[in-house]
């Protein structure tokens, strides 16, 4: 069974910081990309940041220079440090991995339940 459990969301004032964490459990042959997505009310889910197994990272233009994604391959965790938060960062943030499970063929996407981040002005 695969579980992705996010934590660290909450309410913060503009300019503040939050750190999201995602703990991944399950038996994986390989975890390729670990990602953070977000979805604001009335908007499509968007990719915020990604990090692949080699450590390369990619960010949405709207968060570059403010957010930092990191992963611990030994612990199967991924984190998102969010600084200089803005009201437009308000959304539900989802942890996502693209992974191949032990005993399964191919790579699939797995999702956490989401954690709310609210930034007040």
């Amino acid at each position: 069974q695969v579980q992705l459990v996010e934590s660290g969301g909450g309410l913060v004032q503009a300019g503040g910081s939050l750190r999201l964490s995602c703990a991944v459990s399950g038996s994986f042959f390989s975890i390729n990309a670990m990602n953070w997505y977000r979805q604001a009310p009335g908007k499509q889910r968007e990719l915020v940041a990604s990090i692949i197994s080699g450590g390369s990272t990619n960010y949405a233009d709207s968060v570059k220079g403010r957010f930092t994604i990191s992963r611990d391959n030994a612990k199967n965790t991924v984190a998102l440090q969010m600084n200089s938060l803005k009201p437009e960062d308000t959304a539900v943030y989802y942890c996502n991995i693209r992974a191949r499970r032990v005993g399964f063929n191919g790579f699939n996407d797995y999702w956490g339940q989401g954690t709310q981040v609210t930034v007040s002005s």
Side-chain angles (χ1 to χ4, degrees):
Q1 186 175 359
V2 176
Q3 276 193 315
L4 282 69
V5 180
E6 299 111 332
S7 61
L11 173 64
V12 65
Q13 288 188 331
S17 298
L18 283 174
R19 182 177 178 84
L20 305 182
S21 296
C22 176
V24 179
S25 61
S27 297
F28 296 99
F29 180 78
S30 176
I31 298 177
N32 185 6
M34 304 184 85
N35 310 300
W36 286 96
Y37 284 76
R38 68 186 181 187
Q39 187 166 20
K43 295 187 177 181
Q44 288 189 330
R45 191 172 296 189
E46 64 171 347
L47 178 63
V48 175
S50 62
I51 183 168
I52 63 174
S53 57
S56 296
T57 58
N58 189 48
Y59 297 92
D61 288 342
S62 58
V63 307
K64 280 181 182 177
R66 300 187 298 121
F67 290 11
T68 302
I69 189 171
S70 60
R71 67 189 280 176
D72 185 328
N73 291 327
K75 296 181 179 180
N76 279 351
T77 58
V78 59
L80 185 68
Q81 178 66 41
M82 305 185 294
N83 299 327
S84 302
L85 282 161
K86 304 175 181 180
E88 50 264 43
D89 294 317
T90 295
V92 177
Y93 283 71
Y94 296 92
C95 176
N96 161 266
I97 64 170
R98 174 159 284 263
R100 180 181 169 189
R101 292 178 63 188
V102 172
F104 290 77
N105 291 322
F107 284 81
N108 290 288
D109 285 318
Y110 301 91
W111 294 88
Q113 80 287 353
T115 185
Q116 177 70 45
V117 171
T118 303
V119 184
S120 63
S121 57

